[in-house]
Amino acid sequence: MFSYPVRVRFYHTDGMQVTHHANYILWFEAARVEFFRQAGIPLGDMMRDEIVFPILHVEVDYHHSSYYDDELEVHAKLIKLTRAQIVFAYEIVRPKDGTLIVTGKTKGTFTSVQTGKILRLPMKYYDRLRAMMEPGDSE
């Protein structure tokens, strides 16, 4: 599982210094981008090839609150990959006490920038992403 560290900044919080719920989705995205980078695929490369992967579905389950200045880890796991679709599962935890803060999923499709239509991901990207999957992981 890929881990991406975040620290809750003051601007991530509400008036009670509790993390605003929308930030977790932003952290899912940050972890996804870094996951691709770890796979050897900077998103700029895909965009130069006119490929994007818009998110079609997001699930978030909030288990506990996080607070200003908490150090968190976003765990991102690629659980489904086809040449047309990609699905990630996430956990956000507070390592200092092991608290599970949030779980979630995102589903995206590989899409042509020019046409806006779903396309088949080229093997040069597919193979790198597939290599990042853990054995036995698929939805």
Side-chain angles (χ1 to χ4, degrees):
M1 184 177 293
F2 177 79
S3 291
Y4 176 76
V6 297
R7 181 183 293 273
V8 179
R9 307 291 181 201
F10 189 76
Y11 59 84
H12 293 137
T13 65
D14 61 18
M16 297 174 288
Q17 298 186 19
V18 174
T19 305
H20 187 274
H21 64 277
N23 289 293
Y24 299 109
I25 295 171
L26 296 173
W27 295 332
F28 288 177
E29 179 180 1
R32 259 193 328 274
V33 168
E34 293 306 317
F35 184 97
F36 270 73
R37 190 182 320 279
Q38 184 82 17
I41 308 171
L43 289 188
D45 290 356
M46 287 180 66
M47 293 174 70
R48 279 186 285 284
D49 286 341
E50 299 188 349
I51 301 167
V52 291
F53 60 101
I55 300 302
L56 303 176
H57 181 79
V58 176
E59 293 177 25
V60 183
D61 291 307
Y62 301 95
H63 303 280
H64 290 94
S65 295
S66 63
Y67 304 92
Y68 168 68
D69 213 31
D70 274 351
E71 292 181 3
L72 306 176
E73 286 183 2
V74 183
H75 299 157
K77 187 175 188 179
L78 180 55
I79 61 170
K80 182 177 181 181
L81 177 68
T82 69
R83 297 220 14 233
Q85 184 180 98
I86 189 164
V87 180
F88 281 92
Y90 308 90
E91 292 182 344
I92 298 181
V93 298
R94 187 172 40 236
K96 79 175 182 184
D97 61 9
T99 300
L100 177 64
I101 306 296
V102 168
T103 55
K105 268 189 193 177
T106 58
K107 177 168 75 171
T109 60
F110 299 108
T111 305
S112 165
V113 170
Q114 281 188 338
T115 67
K117 294 185 179 180
I118 295 172
L119 54 73
R120 291 175 59 78
L121 187 66
M123 293 305 290
K124 69 179 181 178
Y125 297 128
Y126 178 83
D127 289 341
R128 289 180 192 165
L129 289 169
R130 180 56 101 188
M132 293 285 288
M133 291 185 83
E134 297 174 21
D137 281 348
S138 66
E139 197 172 59

